[in-house]
Amino acid sequence: LCLGSVLGLVSIGMLAGGGAIAWLDHTQRDASGYLTSATRTFATSTYAITTDRIDLGNTTDIAPSSILGTVRIRATASNPTESVFIGIGRHDAVDRYLNGVSHVTIASWTGGVTTYRGYPGAAPAVPPTAISTWVRSAYGAGTQSITWKPSGGDWTVVAMRPDGSRGLSITADAGATIPALGWFDAAIFTVGGILLIAAVLLIALPI
């Protein structure tokens, strides 16, 4: 009876979790099929804003794209008359480009407050549009968007002015298609259902 009760509680928790995932998967995607973060504002008086190192594992691990699907990053200059550059590149390559350049890295954006780590330096030697560091990039006025099938390794996302000049204020969001979410949801419902049946049997026919 005790084991049956425990299994019953576990199964109810799993079924509730599966329901929450199903709700997310079927109601919270946009018209393009992305699950997207809330839009946040990022600003700096330096030359660039970067994410922290994004570790997607080794290239021999399961391909991140099989879990995340396609990743989309969008950025818009806070001043509609200004242009913005966004790019993603290998962390080491981005680090070499920004070595000695005054920039900030996003340290945290929890609780509605964004904090940064600052790195002193000078202006970049060349603008971001003039280098081949980026696996995906976009620049111009209005909302700029890049889509990317992630692969293993360490990555960094960078936002700058296209001409490499100082000062930047943007709104940005990130999203992913996460095709595995449906399979994950189905697996949780299946396991939860099996546990619920086992719990009912154990309670009805205690051993």
Side-chain angles (χ1 to χ4, degrees):
L1 183 62
C2 182
L3 179 58
S5 299
V6 171
L7 287 179
L9 290 173
V10 172
S11 68
I12 290 171
M14 293 189 71
L15 291 172
I21 293 173
W23 171 81
L24 185 70
D25 188 31
H26 296 292
T27 69
Q28 299 304 298
R29 294 182 183 276
D30 64 18
S32 299
Y34 288 90
L35 292 169
T36 306
S37 70
T39 300
R40 299 293 295 266
T41 298
F42 304 96
T44 182
S45 59
T46 66
Y47 295 94
I49 301 170
T50 78
T51 63
D52 224 335
R53 180 196 302 259
I54 302 170
D55 182 0
L56 294 182
N58 299 322
T59 53
T60 56
D61 293 339
I62 297 174
S65 60
S66 65
I67 299 172
L68 295 174
T70 301
V71 171
R72 180 185 66 193
I73 301 168
R74 299 183 293 191
T76 308
S78 299
N79 183 337
T81 65
E82 296 178 351
S83 297
V84 62
F85 167 93
I86 52 172
I88 184 166
R90 294 282 181 183
H91 175 78
D92 289 346
V94 173
D95 201 41
R96 286 192 296 271
Y97 172 58
L98 293 177
N99 183 39
V101 174
S102 175
H103 68 282
V104 295
T105 293
I106 300 167
S108 172
W109 59 1
T110 58
V113 177
T114 303
T115 58
Y116 304 92
R117 290 194 305 274
Y119 299 89
V126 294
T129 55
I131 59 174
S132 59
T133 297
W134 321 106
V135 295
R136 291 288 186 275
S137 64
Y139 64 92
T143 299
Q144 300 302 304
S145 177
I146 56 176
T147 57
W148 174 57
K149 287 276 192 180
S151 58
D154 295 334
W155 303 88
T156 299
V157 179
V158 178
M160 302 177 67
R161 289 180 180 268
D163 62 0
S165 59
R166 178 187 289 274
L168 182 68
S169 178
I170 60 171
T171 57
D173 63 37
T177 55
I178 317 182
L181 199 60
W183 291 102
F184 186 55
D185 172 39
I188 289 179
F189 268 126
T190 300
V191 175
I194 291 171
L195 290 178
L196 182 59
I197 292 170
V200 171
L201 291 174
L202 285 171
I203 293 172
L205 303 169
I207 57 174

